Amino acid sequence: MKRPDSLDIEALRTFVTGIELGNFSLAAKRLSRSTSAVSAQLKKLEHQCGMQLLCKEGRHLKLTDQGELLVSYGKKILSLNDEALQVIHQKRILGKVSLGVQEDFSDKFLPDLLSKISRIFPNIQIYAQSGRNSILKEEILQNKIDFALCWESPQEVHERSLIKTRPQHWIASPAFDFESYIISGKPLPLILVESPCIIRDAAIQALDQENIPWQIAVSGGSLHGIWGAVKAGLGITVRTNTGIPDSLIIIDQHLPPLPGIGLSLFESSSEKSDSYKIIKELLLHELEYYFPDL
């Protein structure tokens, strides 16, 4: 019986990383390989698949239909490969780790992260919460939690804690009659998290700089309440594209540009255990998976 063909896992990792980054030179740097080694791996992968995975479109490389399919399967294969190795190597590690995240990450990212931690590291106990920046940063300073994933304004960003700067967007319900406010000159109804809030400040400053009249229609303490009011068509809000409900739309083309906002990971000053280091590594890995441009 003929032995089944197998894909080279490192060649597959190079292929998927290059597609996610949109550049195989960046993939070579990320994976600490030469560009010639990356090129050889891509040729090897095409040989193993027996078909072309990439084609040239002008100066750029474009996925073929087969290449697009392999990217989808490749992500799953790499995820299982990495998870299997982590389970084998780290199964016996014990400990407790506490994590706080901004509310934008509480609906999708945090549950998926906790599910993965429970599978890979069943003996590590995780305490997780979501909340506002001010609360999370205070708890970090007091060593009440180990990690805090927070937003920071460009003026506040610390290079040591910064992961990536993300764009902010104007967001509304498709049913919101934006045109009527522009034509009539009526104050634009805003739905924003109550002060202090760097996103709120950015929205108001952007409108003031363009002399666009506004008024606070809804001010709330939770992001869940903000999304509910926007869905109801009571006004517009500002957030990043992280966690936007599917029923809402981005309307940047109608309003003044907004500054970027920093996504930062803060750590407590407490002594770092093995479980602490492992969860940090997994957290950063999952952020990269969810946001491949990080």
Side-chain angles (χ1 to χ4, degrees), residues 15 19 24 39 42-43 46 52-65:
F15 176 65
I19 296 304
F24 284 99
S39 179
L42 294 176
K43 289 180 181 178
E46 288 191 324
Q52 190 177 7
L53 302 174
L54 296 161
C55 61
K56 279 197 173 183
E57 189 175 75
R59 295 183 178 180
H60 304 286
L61 289 174
K62 178 185 176 183
L63 284 170
T64 63
D65 291 343

Side-chain angles (χ1 to χ4, degrees), residues 12-26:
L12 185 61
R13 190 182 302 279
T14 297
F15 176 65
V16 171
T17 303
I19 296 304
E20 288 182 334
L21 295 177
N23 187 305
F24 284 99
S25 295
L26 292 178

Side-chain angles (χ1 to χ4, degrees), residues 8-224:
D8 182 291
I9 197 73
E10 290 308 314
L12 185 61
R13 190 182 302 279
T14 297
F15 176 65
V16 171
T17 303
I19 296 304
E20 288 182 334
L21 295 177
N23 187 305
F24 284 99
S25 295
L26 292 178
K29 186 177 180 181
R30 170 76 63 83
L31 299 172
S32 301
R33 299 185 184 280
S34 66
T35 52
S36 59
V38 166
S39 179
Q41 284 189 320
L42 294 176
K43 289 180 181 178
K44 180 178 182 180
L45 197 60
E46 288 191 324
H47 177 72
Q48 290 175 331
C49 292
M51 58 189 65
Q52 190 177 7
L53 302 174
L54 296 161
C55 61
K56 279 197 173 183
E57 189 175 75
R59 295 183 178 180
H60 304 286
L61 289 174
K62 178 185 176 183
L63 284 170
T64 63
D65 291 343
Q66 293 84 359
E68 191 171 0
L69 188 61
L70 185 61
V71 169
S72 178
Y73 277 100
K75 289 179 179 180
K76 297 173 186 176
I77 292 169
L78 291 170
S79 179
L80 284 173
N81 175 82
D82 296 346
E83 184 174 322
L85 289 175
Q86 286 177 317
V87 169
I88 292 168
H89 294 152
Q90 315 289 357
K91 188 82 171 180
R92 295 183 178 276
I93 291 181
L94 306 172
K96 296 181 179 180
V97 179
S98 52
L99 167 68
V101 301
Q102 256 283 339
E103 289 180 292
D104 304 75
F105 298 89
S106 62
D107 285 345
K108 177 64 176 172
F109 176 79
L110 184 58
D112 287 354
L113 175 67
L114 296 178
S115 175
K116 192 161 191 175
I117 291 173
S118 69
R119 292 197 314 271
I120 303 174
F121 309 112
N123 295 321
I124 295 180
Q125 298 180 34
I126 296 291
Y127 166 77
Q129 68 180 74
S130 64
R132 299 185 62 185
N133 276 358
S134 56
I135 296 173
L136 296 178
K137 289 182 178 180
E138 183 64 29
E139 295 198 348
I140 278 288
L141 290 174
Q142 297 177 7
N143 289 330
K144 291 183 177 180
I145 56 177
D146 296 312
F147 300 105
L149 192 60
C150 298
W151 298 122
E152 287 190 288
S153 69
Q155 295 77 27
E156 296 177 310
V157 161
H158 296 85
E159 290 298 325
R160 184 173 58 85
S161 56
L162 179 67
I163 297 174
K164 183 70 175 181
T165 298
R166 308 290 296 172
Q168 297 185 89
H169 301 285
W170 298 98
I171 302 165
S173 163
F176 178 72
D177 188 6
F178 179 84
E179 295 292 337
S180 67
Y181 290 93
I182 298 300
I183 294 172
S184 67
K186 293 187 298 184
L188 198 62
L190 301 180
I191 302 173
L192 301 169
V193 174
E194 61 192 14
S195 295
C197 173
I198 55 178
I199 295 178
R200 178 189 180 109
D201 294 343
I204 291 173
Q205 184 176 4
L207 293 175
D208 284 346
Q209 287 177 343
E210 297 295 325
N211 294 316
I212 298 175
W214 57 268
Q215 64 180 8
I216 299 296
V218 177
S219 182
S222 77
L223 184 56
H224 181 75

